[in-house]
Amino acid sequence: MAEKLTSMCERLAANRVDTTAGIPDHPVVTWTERIVIRDGVRLSCRDRGGSGSPVLLLHGLAGHAGEWEAAADHLSARHRVVALDQRGHGASERRPADVSREAHVADVLAVAAELGLDRPVLVGQSLGGHTAMLTAAAHPDLVRALVLVDAGPAAAAPDTPATIDEGLGSWPLPFPSLDAAREFLGSDAWAAGLERRHDGWYPRFDRDVMVAAITPVTARPWWPEWQRLACPTLVVLGERGIVPPAESAEMLRLAGPDATLVSVPGSGHDVHLDRPEVLHHLLSGFLDALPRP
């Protein structure tokens, strides 16, 4: 890898970590925080341990690794599961200078190399799915299989950065309580990604960084990368998600023989949060059917 990787430093979060910080009705789960430093950028990972074949989970824009806790819990009995806070998000570097698509791909490679994830299955939702797709297309020898959750290869609409900016700007910050945040955001998992300050609860990302991170996806279509995929691929789309029927039909038309597309009824963009039981079933079936590493 061209970028210089400094030695990884590990830090143990408490063996039992409350990942939901005051959100009721969520179990306490066990994970270890591992820090990878790539080109001076801090990348925080939640490592569930285990000796099975590795799975690396990538959240979407303005998300955080904790969104994957239910999926990680489901998969960890048979797999080594790691969830990454992508640069600019969560416990990772908040304001990295580089938020290009290439930087995100390089982060995935660095995390896999430093944590010993040999040919992981990449599972990514939304922007994380886009990152996973680009990684698998550019480095087919390093990725065993790919799961895209409501993500596709079409260029994002030109007004997407402005829409994201406006949407994030509408958040009534600070939230006075986690209950207020949950009511506004409509999700326990999204509320769990907030941080507490002296005057209330704030997102663990900066709005301008999110706008900068999504902007490259509008630059061009990414169909060449989709067509270069050589690994088994599962695409799980929400019935009311962001991938329109015309795009999913084209994905199916151009897909290789090892690609499967599934639409989940009743789900929006956040399939992993809207219909977790369906996604977990699909993930288990897909992973169990893969050839042995």
Coordinates of all heavy atoms in Angstrom, one line a residue, residues 125-127 149-152 154-157 160 214 217 236-245 247-248 267-271:
Q125 N -23.8 -0.1 3.9 CA -25.1 0.5 3.7 C -24.9 1.9 3.1 O -24.0 2.6 3.6 CB -25.9 0.6 5.0 CG -27.3 1.0 4.8 CD -27.6 2.5 5.1 OE1 -26.7 3.1 5.7 NE2 -28.7 3.0 4.7
S126 N -25.6 2.2 2.1 CA -25.6 3.6 1.5 C -24.2 4.0 1.1 O -23.6 3.3 0.3 CB -26.2 4.6 2.5 OG -26.5 5.8 1.9
L127 N -23.6 5.1 1.6 CA -22.3 5.5 1.2 C -21.3 4.4 1.6 O -20.3 4.2 0.9 CB -21.9 6.8 1.9 CG -20.6 7.4 1.4 CD1 -20.7 7.8 0.0 CD2 -20.2 8.6 2.3
V149 N -26.2 -2.7 0.9 CA -27.5 -2.5 1.5 C -28.0 -1.1 1.1 O -27.5 -0.1 1.5 CB -27.4 -2.6 3.1 CG1 -28.8 -2.3 3.7 CG2 -26.9 -3.9 3.5
D150 N -29.0 -1.1 0.2 CA -29.6 0.1 -0.4 C -28.5 1.0 -0.9 O -28.4 2.2 -0.5 CB -30.5 0.8 0.6 CG -31.7 1.5 -0.1 OD1 -32.4 0.7 -0.8 OD2 -31.9 2.7 -0.1
A151 N -27.7 0.5 -1.8 CA -26.6 1.3 -2.4 C -26.5 0.8 -3.9 O -26.8 -0.4 -4.1 CB -25.3 1.1 -1.7
G152 N -26.1 1.7 -4.8 CA -25.9 1.3 -6.1 C -24.9 2.1 -6.8 O -24.3 3.0 -6.3
A154 N -25.2 4.1 -9.7 CA -25.5 5.3 -10.4 C -24.9 6.6 -9.7 O -24.7 6.6 -8.5 CB -27.0 5.5 -10.5
A155 N -24.7 7.6 -10.5 CA -24.2 8.8 -9.9 C -25.3 9.4 -9.0 O -26.5 9.4 -9.4 CB -23.8 9.8 -11.0
A156 N -24.9 10.0 -7.9 CA -25.9 10.7 -7.0 C -26.3 12.0 -7.8 O -25.6 12.5 -8.6 CB -25.3 11.1 -5.7
A157 N -27.6 12.4 -7.6 CA -28.1 13.6 -8.2 C -27.2 14.8 -7.9 O -26.7 14.9 -6.8 CB -29.5 13.8 -7.8
T160 N -27.6 16.6 -4.6 CA -27.5 15.8 -3.3 C -26.8 16.5 -2.2 O -27.2 16.5 -1.1 CB -26.9 14.4 -3.6 OG1 -27.8 13.7 -4.5 CG2 -26.8 13.6 -2.3
I214 N -20.0 13.4 0.5 CA -21.0 12.9 -0.5 C -20.8 13.5 -1.9 O -21.2 12.9 -2.9 CB -22.5 13.2 0.0 CG1 -23.5 12.4 -0.8 CG2 -22.8 14.6 -0.1 CD1 -23.3 10.9 -0.7
V217 N -19.5 11.5 -5.0 CA -20.4 10.4 -5.6 C -21.3 11.0 -6.7 O -21.8 10.3 -7.5 CB -21.3 9.9 -4.5 CG1 -22.2 8.7 -5.0 CG2 -20.5 9.4 -3.3
V236 N -29.2 -5.8 -1.2 CA -30.4 -5.8 -0.5 C -31.0 -4.4 -0.5 O -30.4 -3.4 0.0 CB -30.2 -6.2 1.0 CG1 -31.5 -6.2 1.7 CG2 -29.5 -7.6 1.1
L237 N -32.1 -4.2 -1.2 CA -32.7 -2.9 -1.4 C -34.0 -2.7 -0.6 O -34.7 -3.6 -0.5 CB -33.0 -2.6 -2.9 CG -31.8 -2.8 -3.9 CD1 -32.3 -2.7 -5.3 CD2 -30.7 -1.8 -3.6
G238 N -34.1 -1.5 0.0 CA -35.4 -1.2 0.6 C -36.5 -0.9 -0.4 O -36.2 -0.2 -1.4
E239 N -37.7 -1.4 -0.2 CA -38.8 -1.1 -1.1 C -39.0 0.4 -1.3 O -39.3 0.8 -2.4 CB -40.1 -1.7 -0.5 CG -41.3 -1.5 -1.4 CD -42.5 -2.1 -0.7 OE1 -42.6 -2.1 0.5 OE2 -43.5 -2.5 -1.5
R240 N -38.7 1.2 -0.2 CA -38.8 2.6 -0.3 C -37.5 3.3 -0.2 O -37.4 4.4 0.4 CB -39.8 3.1 0.8 CG -41.2 2.6 0.6 CD -42.1 3.1 1.8 NE -41.9 2.3 3.0 CZ -41.2 2.7 4.0 NH1 -40.6 3.8 4.0 NH2 -41.0 1.9 5.1
G241 N -36.4 2.6 -0.7 CA -35.1 3.1 -0.5 C -34.7 4.1 -1.6 O -35.6 4.6 -2.3
I242 N -33.4 4.4 -1.7 CA -33.0 5.4 -2.6 C -32.6 4.9 -4.0 O -32.2 5.7 -4.9 CB -31.8 6.2 -2.0 CG1 -30.5 5.3 -1.9 CG2 -32.1 6.8 -0.7 CD1 -29.3 6.0 -1.6
V243 N -32.6 3.6 -4.2 CA -32.2 3.0 -5.5 C -33.5 2.8 -6.3 O -34.3 1.9 -6.0 CB -31.5 1.7 -5.3 CG1 -31.1 1.1 -6.7 CG2 -30.2 1.9 -4.5
P244 N -33.7 3.6 -7.4 CA -35.0 3.5 -8.1 C -35.0 2.2 -8.9 O -34.0 1.6 -9.2 CB -34.9 4.7 -9.0 CG -33.5 5.0 -9.2 CD -32.8 4.6 -7.9
P245 N -36.2 1.8 -9.4 CA -36.4 0.5 -10.1 C -35.5 0.5 -11.4 O -35.0 -0.6 -11.7 CB -37.9 0.5 -10.5 CG -38.5 1.3 -9.4 CD -37.5 2.4 -9.0
E247 N -32.6 1.8 -11.9 CA -31.2 1.5 -11.5 C -31.0 0.1 -11.1 O -30.1 -0.6 -11.5 CB -30.7 2.4 -10.4 CG -29.3 2.2 -10.0 CD -28.8 3.2 -8.9 OE1 -29.6 4.1 -8.5 OE2 -27.7 3.0 -8.4
S248 N -32.0 -0.5 -10.3 CA -31.8 -1.9 -9.9 C -32.0 -2.8 -11.0 O -31.3 -3.8 -11.1 CB -32.9 -2.2 -8.8 OG -34.2 -2.0 -9.2
S267 N -39.5 -1.6 3.9 CA -38.3 -1.0 4.3 C -38.0 0.3 3.6 O -38.2 0.4 2.4 CB -37.1 -1.9 4.2 OG -35.9 -1.3 4.6
G268 N -37.4 1.3 4.3 CA -36.9 2.4 3.6 C -35.4 2.3 3.3 O -34.9 1.1 3.1
H269 N -34.7 3.4 3.4 CA -33.3 3.4 3.0 C -32.5 2.6 4.1 O -31.5 1.9 3.7 CB -32.8 4.8 3.0 CG -31.4 5.0 2.6 ND1 -30.8 4.3 1.6 CD2 -30.4 5.8 3.1 CE1 -29.5 4.7 1.5 NE2 -29.3 5.6 2.4
D270 N -32.8 2.7 5.3 CA -32.1 2.0 6.4 C -32.6 0.6 6.6 O -33.2 0.3 7.7 CB -32.2 2.8 7.7 CG -31.5 4.2 7.6 OD1 -30.5 4.3 6.8 OD2 -31.9 5.1 8.2
V271 N -32.4 -0.3 5.7 CA -32.9 -1.6 5.8 C -32.4 -2.3 7.1 O -33.1 -3.1 7.7 CB -32.5 -2.5 4.6 CG1 -33.1 -3.9 4.7 CG2 -32.9 -1.8 3.3

